[in-house]
Amino acid sequence: MDVFLEKNRGVLLAYDQGLEHGPTDFNERNFDPAFIMRLAVEGKFNSIIFQKGLAEKYYDGRVPLIIKVNGKTNLVKGEPIARQNCSVKHAAKLGAKAVGYTIYPGSAHENVMLEEFGRIQEEAHALNIAAIAWIYPRGEATKNDTAPEVIAYAARVGLEAGADAVKIKYSGTVDAFKWAVKCAGKAKVFMSGGPKAETDADFLRQVRGAIDAGASGLAVGRNVWQSADPLKMARALRALVIEDRSVEEALRA
Ligand code: FBP
């Protein structure tokens, strides 16, 4: 994971929403993967996260690459499942320094994803690249996917499954997220960005909370590239996460 860290922290730029959510997430600028690739470089992100299709056509090698090796659309309803769509070998060939995989614990299909991630993690480690688990409790059985005990459980699932890092949603308070970080043990914790917050300060307060709780950073998409000024948000996130500044200082960065 060191390749994604500066001062033991990292800000990773996620851009797989075209598959996960569809084009309604995009505006005139950010629909273009080339814009996001430039943003990753100019915003000094510690990684860009692409599906293989975007990596093959747009990745230019200037920031470390994470390839998501599973995914799904939001057109399918019912119990969530996302199956592998890119081999670890192919991801490594495209230059990935880690593979990412989403597990939906609580889904009726969690066993399939746990098994698949288990194999992917072994293949990644054999090639000396990291395995990062997006862990999103979901499905009929999950009533509140950001409840402190649910997020702490998500973090632990990642550790048990062998993830080098887990990407989980913020559970609302520093204390609640501390529990999740503790449960993740030696697996690093990255907060998941989520839908665009009402104000930059609102979002930065959440990020500050996650860092104060011991997270290693965040993997963020919409709160950066849906921002009116994505590079300003990138500067603010670096100030807060890497330089450990306050929300107020980050807003002035
Ligand atoms: P955002 O910062 O835009 O939320 O991106 C983080 C991410 O994990 C993406 O990698 C992924 O596409 C998306 O969130 C999944 O969102 P959802 O919670 O709707 O499944």
Side-chain angles (χ1 to χ4, degrees):
M1 287 298 298
D2 286 355
V3 66
F4 304 114
L5 302 174
E6 256 178 277
K7 302 184 184 176
N8 262 326
R9 302 256 177 85
V11 185
L12 320 177
L13 186 62
Y15 191 67
D16 59 337
Q17 291 81 353
L19 173 65
E20 298 288 336
H21 300 151
T24 51
D25 268 5
F26 297 148
N27 62 28
E28 278 308 306
R29 274 189 312 184
N30 64 30
F31 78 93
D32 182 3
F35 171 78
I36 302 292
M37 188 64 240
R38 283 195 301 276
L39 174 61
V41 176
E42 287 164 20
K44 300 191 171 71
F45 284 88
N46 300 100
S47 173
I48 177 87
I49 302 164
F50 279 152
Q51 280 275 339
K52 76 165 180 180
L54 299 194
E56 285 168 350
K57 294 183 178 61
Y58 296 93
Y59 179 60
D60 68 10
R62 289 190 291 163
V63 291
L65 174 68
I66 297 170
I67 294 193
K68 264 311 292 299
V69 296
N70 74 338
K72 64 168 188 54
T73 71
N74 72 2
L75 300 171
V76 183
K77 304 302 171 200
E79 289 296 290
I81 178 164
R83 296 296 303 263
Q84 184 174 12
N85 57 6
C86 173
S87 70
V88 176
K89 210 166 138 193
H90 189 60
K93 206 170 111 203
L94 290 172
K97 298 287 182 282
V99 287
Y101 184 97
T102 304
I103 301 171
Y104 299 111
S107 162
H109 308 298
E110 67 165 30
N111 57 327
V112 178
M113 292 170 279
L114 283 166
E115 183 188 335
E116 208 160 68
F117 180 74
R119 179 178 45 71
I120 285 166
Q121 183 259 20
E122 290 169 22
E123 290 172 10
H125 287 180
L127 292 176
N128 263 322
I129 65 176
I132 304 176
W134 275 226
I135 313 220
Y136 296 155
R138 214 160 276 188
E140 197 53 37
T142 305
K143 298 303 171 212
N144 177 357
D145 69 349
T146 54
E149 68 279 13
V150 173
I151 294 297
Y153 201 166
R156 191 61 173 209
V157 168
L159 176 66
E160 302 268 354
D164 299 293
V166 297
K167 179 170 182 307
I168 52 177
K169 290 190 178 177
Y170 190 55
S171 42
T173 65
V174 175
D175 280 347
F177 210 65
K178 265 188 189 159
W179 187 14
V181 172
K182 194 169 160 192
C183 288
K186 289 186 180 176
K188 298 200 178 300
V189 173
F190 289 85
M191 187 194 98
S192 184
K196 175 95 176 50
E198 213 158 290
T199 69
D200 289 357
D202 286 344
F203 181 59
L204 291 173
R205 269 192 288 274
Q206 245 188 59
V207 178
R208 186 68 255 171
I211 297 297
D212 289 344
S216 297
L218 81 160
V220 55
R222 289 165 288 178
N223 274 286
V224 171
W225 43 255
Q226 287 180 353
S227 159
D229 189 345
L231 281 175
K232 183 169 188 290
M233 181 51 98
R235 280 197 303 277
L237 287 171
R238 278 188 64 81
L240 197 151
V241 175
I242 313 284
E243 307 300 336
D244 222 2
R245 302 271 193 249
S246 67
V247 170
E248 292 67 33
E249 288 169 327
L251 282 167
R252 289 195 296 270

